């Protein structure tokens, strides 16, 4: 499995013994020093193992399995636990020698990034203390049923009591500037209410029609509440109950991440362009390179062709992430969609334009094996600049792909099928043609840019000898 070290530490017993500046102080540790003075008395030799951030989109992780058990001796750099992120399963290592004193988050449960999932003690004498600390964390995670706080009486000399409850703000003395809605102003005039004496309850003290009606002694109508109730009732009635015998299955971590990315993609203005490419030459070329000892797939050929076309059209390889600027990426990293059990992932062929066909094919085979075993490292799936999705092997002739967040374009490749064509002299022939649809971010890629890119891509596919370079 993929492996990543993760630094973990806890508060020390005095301020002078805080971790040195050369070691990063984790946020949860820092907050303990700031907000809880008692935490300074915790033994410095009990350290926390935190849930690491294994990708830029990861907000929580699931404990797949604990490699070590409570009471096991650990060595620095040794794998302790397997964590499922939104992309892969990863071994989490320790930076310290010690004893796994307590497991805070058991197998099968999730924890947010940065939360403690285990405690590490340095000596056997500290194990009991670590277990007590783990128990307090577990009890602290559940909301208290009731808590009685005895207030400290104020000193006798103090004559200003603290208010027990919050009260509506009183109207300030003297002239003040009153913000009034137009309809409230009309009502005030109609009911002869001095608008300057009305206390507004709207945003920033704005006087609303309800405030004027209350000042005039009129029963305040609340159409918004009845409207909200109507909308809520309509929404609840529109959701059909599950059919008898249905099984509701929650998203896995990966499925939840895919869902989040797809929804995020809807905020990007996109357009689509389709292009028919003749593939007879590419099919013949594929047959000639297959016996060379390396399994060259059609997907690898298409990724290589796309990378070579992007060299000539860098704007299609660009990306926009903040909506205010875009970046011309210095590398051409082709992400290729791969369906795996329970989700979808896009392993990345880095610098695909610079790799020869056989090395690229070998690299692609390794990435697919690691993806299906959920062992990809973060840089092997989150560094893509252009995406290829190929469903041609399933006989799909056309489809549109959803643009991944942060990418400038994604190519959807359909199956190559025999098509009757007529030449300029009126003679008919049958050739294999493949429809390629590209979805692009219209903020940075325009129609002419995409058309020129597809023309270059088609020329490379129809004259594939250059793919050997």
């Amino acid at each position: 499995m993929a492996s990543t070290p993760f630094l973990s530490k806890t508060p020390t017993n005095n301020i002078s013994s805080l971790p040195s500046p050369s070691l990063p102080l984790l946020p949860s540790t820092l907050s303990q020093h700031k907000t809880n003075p008692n935490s300074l008395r915790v033994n410095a030799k009990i350290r926390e193992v935190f849930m690491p951030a294994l990708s830029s989109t990861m907000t929580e992780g699931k404990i797949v399995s604990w490699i070590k058990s409570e009471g096991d001796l650990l060595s620095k750099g040794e794998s302790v636990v397997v964590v499922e992120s939104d992309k892969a399963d990863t071994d989490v290592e320790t930076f310290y020698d010690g004893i796994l004193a307590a497991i805070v988050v058991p197998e099968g449960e999730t924890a947010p990034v940065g939360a403690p999932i285990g405690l590490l003690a340095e000596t056997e004498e500290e194990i009991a203390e670590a277990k007590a600390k783990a128990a307090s964390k577990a009890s602290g995670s559940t909301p208290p049923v009731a808590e009685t706080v005895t207030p400290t009486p104020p000193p006798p000399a103090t004559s200003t009591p603290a208010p027990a409850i919050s009260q509506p703000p009183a109207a300030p003395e003297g002239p003040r500037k009153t913000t009034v809605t137009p309809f409230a102003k009309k009502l005030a005039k109609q009911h002869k209410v001095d608008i300057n004496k009305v206390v507004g309850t709207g945003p920033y003290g704005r006087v609303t029609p309800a405030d004027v009606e209350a000042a005039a002694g009129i029963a305040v109508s609340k159409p918004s509440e009845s409207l909200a109730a109507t909308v809520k009732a309509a929404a609840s009635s529109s959701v059909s109950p599950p059919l008898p015998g249905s099984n509701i299955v929650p998203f896995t971590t990966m499925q939840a991440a895919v869902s989040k990315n797809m929804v995020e993609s809807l905020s990007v203005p996109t357009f689509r362009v389709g292009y028919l490419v003749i593939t007879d030459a590419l099919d013949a070329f594929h047959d000639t390179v297959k016996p060379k000892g390396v399994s060259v797939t059609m997907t690898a050929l298409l990724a290589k062709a796309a990378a070579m076309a992007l060299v000539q059209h860098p704007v299609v390889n660009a990306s926009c992430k903040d909506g205010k600027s875009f970046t011309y990426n210095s590398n051409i990293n082709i992400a290729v969609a791969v369906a795996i059990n329970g989700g979808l992932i896009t392993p990345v062929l880095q610098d695909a334009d610079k790799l020869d066909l056989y090395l690229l094919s070998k690299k692609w085979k390794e990435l697919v094996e690691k993806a299906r075993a959920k062992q990809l490292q973060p840089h092997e799936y989150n560094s893509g600049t252009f995406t290829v999705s190929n469903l041609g092997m399933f006989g799909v002739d056309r489809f549109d792909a959803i643009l991944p967040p942060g990418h400038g374009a994604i190519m959807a490749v359909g199956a190559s099928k025999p098509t009757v064509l007529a030449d300029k002299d009126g003679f008919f022939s049958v050739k294999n043609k493949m429809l390629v649809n590209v979805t692009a971010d219209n903020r940075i890629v325009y129609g002419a840019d995409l058309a020129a890119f597809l023309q270059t891509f088609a020329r490379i596919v129809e004259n594939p000898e250059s793919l050997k370079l």
Side-chain angles (χ1 to χ4, degrees), residues 96-179:
Y96 298 97
D97 296 333
I99 303 170
L100 181 58
I103 292 175
V104 178
V105 181
E107 295 180 1
E109 294 191 8
T110 59
V113 169
I117 58 176
L119 296 179
L120 189 67
E122 190 167 291
T123 64
E124 293 184 359
E125 290 74 15
E126 295 160 343
I127 293 179
E129 183 180 349
K131 287 184 178 294
K133 184 178 179 183
S136 66
K137 288 181 179 294
S139 61
S141 63
T142 58
V145 177
E147 183 177 357
T148 303
V149 179
T150 304
T152 303
T158 303
S159 60
T160 305
I165 58 173
S166 60
Q167 299 180 358
E173 296 181 358
R176 64 184 177 89
K177 184 178 179 181
T178 305
T179 306

Side-chain angles (χ1 to χ4, degrees), residues 55 57 85-90 254-255 257-258 261-262 334-348 364 367-383 387-390 404 410:
S55 73
T57 58
S85 71
D86 53 354
K87 302 291 185 182
D89 291 352
T90 306
M254 178 176 290
Q255 288 170 331
V258 171
N261 287 340
M262 295 302 97
I334 306 296
V336 184
V338 174
I340 62 176
N341 185 25
L344 176 75
I345 197 167
T346 52
V348 177
W364 175 240
L367 287 172
V368 171
E369 291 175 351
K370 292 177 71 174
R372 288 177 175 159
K374 300 182 73 175
Q375 295 178 6
L376 288 173
Q377 293 280 3
H379 71 274
E380 294 176 321
Y381 58 74
N382 62 12
S383 59
T387 305
V388 174
S389 181
N390 180 17
I410 179 173

Side-chain angles (χ1 to χ4, degrees), residues 157 234 290 423:
K290 282 170 65 176
D423 60 19

